[in-house]
Amino acid sequence: MEKKGGDSFRFPGKLLFLAVLALVFMTLLLRDRDRNPFISSHESAQNQYTTPPPAPVCNYAKGRWVADSRPPLYTVGCKYMQRNWACRLTNRTDFSYEDYRWQPIDCKMPEFEPSDFLRRMQDKTVAFIGDSLSREQFQSMMCMLTRGEGSPDVEDVADKYGFLKLIRKGAYHHHGWAYRFRSTNTTILHTWSARLCDRKPINATDPNTLYAMHLDGQPAFIRENLNQINVLVINTAHHWSKTMVNMDKEVMYVNGTPVHDKFLRNIENAKIFKVNNIVKWLDSELASHPNLQVFFRTTSPRHFFKGEWNTGGKCDNLVPMTRGSEVLGDESSDKIVAAAVQGTRVKILDITALSDLRDEAHISHYGHKANDCLHWCLPGVPDTWNELLSAQV
């Protein structure tokens, strides 16, 4: 009994000894961990080696139009601008559309500075490929870069790209325009491709031939010059109608044969097919063109009210921001382009919603017999498109 009682008395002492031993061991372990960076917990290793998340990309399309008393970046005397787009040269007397600038909400958009843009584009080519609104954006860019003034620094290099075609004595038809700034070896160009398709005559020997519009083929200029282009801005929108396709004497083709599929013969479905097709192709090309940036400009909105362009539609409002001044949504209004570029390296130049607020800035009926509620007064809204482009290249 005495032995049993003695063992019971000594047992707690063993527990105390083991507890002290464990405390000493843990102290030594913690000391070694602090001295040796390779001994750490799983959580510490994660914190030490995890790459910090990238900074959020600015959504330049989310913002507001704000009043701005500064004069436009160029005058209506700009030699690179079509006269019919210079609203100050028409009988319009209200030019309040010039007194606003776009201000993104989540980030600061740098002011456009011609010398800075040309420096960043040194030894580079910026190409605008698309319809007449692409041409208007190109002309806006040229006027912004030159302040609308002639300069010996600017060289006409359209002939280098085969853009000039003699149609009669001394008269040329322009397939495109190209100018090089000698000081920085920067080329700014535009060429026409209303639907971004490869276009070929069906019968090359027939002057009245129809043309195959290959939905799964890319414009010849882009294919042949992609190695020389550093910033590519494409668009397509308003020429996707049966009327426009027929006017251009075109027949839709896929896989080298005319389209018979009922779904694809629908012109809107054909447009979606083309947008996705060219984005996929350009995304595949970007891997072998590391110095190339591609932007798909979204649709420039039309503002024909109380009718269409051929049924009496007008855009007579002269008061800015009658339908609001802010774009607060995160998603693009151009669902087709936004869906096509998602998950690719092709960037979106999202101008649709912010331009939609500016129905007073169109050419309208001033200086014209018909209402032009599609194209914009210059200086004007397309200058903002180029400011957004400059901020993202």
Side-chain angles (χ1 to χ4, degrees), residues 253-308:
Y253 272 57
V254 169
N255 293 325
T257 61
V259 172
H260 296 295
D261 179 75
K262 186 176 180 180
F263 178 83
L264 205 53
R265 286 181 67 86
N266 177 286
I267 201 70
E268 184 68 11
N269 294 335
K271 173 189 173 183
I272 295 171
F273 177 93
K274 174 69 258 184
V275 170
N276 282 278
N277 174 267
I278 195 169
V279 167
K280 184 178 180 181
W281 178 76
L282 285 166
D283 186 50
S284 69
E285 289 292 323
L286 281 167
S288 56
H289 295 83
N291 296 320
L292 173 65
Q293 297 183 70
V294 179
F295 293 85
F296 206 126
R297 180 177 61 69
T298 60
T299 301
S300 172
R302 312 182 318 157
H303 290 101
F304 290 97
F305 296 109
K306 298 180 180 179
E308 268 297 322

Side-chain angles (χ1 to χ4, degrees), residues 128-148:
F128 297 89
I129 314 293
D131 55 21
S132 59
L133 287 153
S134 172
R135 184 168 73 245
E136 192 164 13
Q137 186 178 3
F138 156 76
Q139 292 184 7
S140 162
M141 176 63 83
M142 284 301 302
C143 291
M144 291 168 69
L145 290 173
T146 60
R147 299 293 190 189

Side-chain angles (χ1 to χ4, degrees), residues 49-321:
Y49 296 110
T50 300
T51 304
V57 177
C58 176
N59 182 357
Y60 287 94
K62 183 179 179 181
R64 61 178 62 90
W65 289 102
V66 297
D68 186 4
S69 60
R70 291 172 296 179
L73 292 168
Y74 56 93
T75 67
V76 292
C78 176
K79 63 175 289 186
Y80 306 102
M81 178 173 57
Q82 289 179 215
R83 183 181 175 88
N84 60 310
W85 290 342
C87 289
R88 280 187 174 270
L89 299 181
T90 68
N91 59 343
R92 181 168 180 160
T93 58
D94 185 283
F95 308 106
S96 57
Y97 63 86
E98 294 180 351
D99 300 332
Y100 292 84
R101 63 181 173 85
W102 181 250
Q103 180 177 288
I105 291 177
D106 298 326
C107 53
K108 183 178 180 181
M109 187 166 70
E111 292 186 19
F112 185 86
E113 175 53 51
S115 59
D116 172 69
F117 184 84
L118 289 171
R119 177 185 55 79
R120 289 187 287 124
M121 295 296 106
Q122 184 161 355
D123 300 321
K124 294 182 178 180
T125 296
V126 180
F128 297 89
I129 314 293
D131 55 21
S132 59
L133 287 153
S134 172
R135 184 168 73 245
E136 192 164 13
Q137 186 178 3
F138 156 76
Q139 292 184 7
S140 162
M141 176 63 83
M142 284 301 302
C143 291
M144 291 168 69
L145 290 173
T146 60
R147 299 293 190 189
E149 301 173 357
S151 170
D153 188 43
V154 182
E155 173 189 8
D156 189 334
V157 292
D159 197 44
K160 172 186 173 183
Y161 294 94
F163 286 160
L164 300 179
K165 181 181 179 182
L166 186 64
I167 53 176
R168 56 179 80 90
K169 268 190 178 179
Y172 285 91
H173 171 70
H174 280 262
H175 293 286
W177 290 260
Y179 297 97
R180 185 177 75 91
F181 290 78
R182 293 184 174 95
S183 58
T184 57
N185 189 32
T186 303
T187 299
I188 312 292
L189 66 83
H190 161 77
T191 190
W192 177 269
S193 183
R195 286 178 284 272
L196 298 177
C197 294
D198 189 18
R199 185 176 188 266
K200 294 179 179 177
I202 294 175
N203 183 356
T205 62
D206 181 3
N208 298 313
T209 184
L210 296 177
Y211 290 82
M213 182 178 76
H214 295 274
L215 298 176
D216 52 349
Q218 315 315 329
F221 183 85
I222 297 180
R223 294 196 323 268
E224 296 165 5
N225 294 277
L226 199 60
N227 289 330
Q228 304 177 52
I229 299 173
N230 302 97
V231 177
L232 175 62
V233 184
I234 60 174
N235 85 288
T236 185
H238 299 297
H239 285 256
W240 289 93
S241 72
K242 288 185 177 180
T243 300
M244 299 296 282
V245 171
N246 291 335
M247 283 176 57
D248 292 336
K249 300 169 62 177
E250 294 182 344
V251 179
M252 293 191 297
Y253 272 57
V254 169
N255 293 325
T257 61
V259 172
H260 296 295
D261 179 75
K262 186 176 180 180
F263 178 83
L264 205 53
R265 286 181 67 86
N266 177 286
I267 201 70
E268 184 68 11
N269 294 335
K271 173 189 173 183
I272 295 171
F273 177 93
K274 174 69 258 184
V275 170
N276 282 278
N277 174 267
I278 195 169
V279 167
K280 184 178 180 181
W281 178 76
L282 285 166
D283 186 50
S284 69
E285 289 292 323
L286 281 167
S288 56
H289 295 83
N291 296 320
L292 173 65
Q293 297 183 70
V294 179
F295 293 85
F296 206 126
R297 180 177 61 69
T298 60
T299 301
S300 172
R302 312 182 318 157
H303 290 101
F304 290 97
F305 296 109
K306 298 180 180 179
E308 268 297 322
W309 65 273
N310 57 349
T311 58
K314 298 179 180 179
C315 46
D316 289 341
N317 172 45
L318 297 180
V319 181
M321 313 305 157

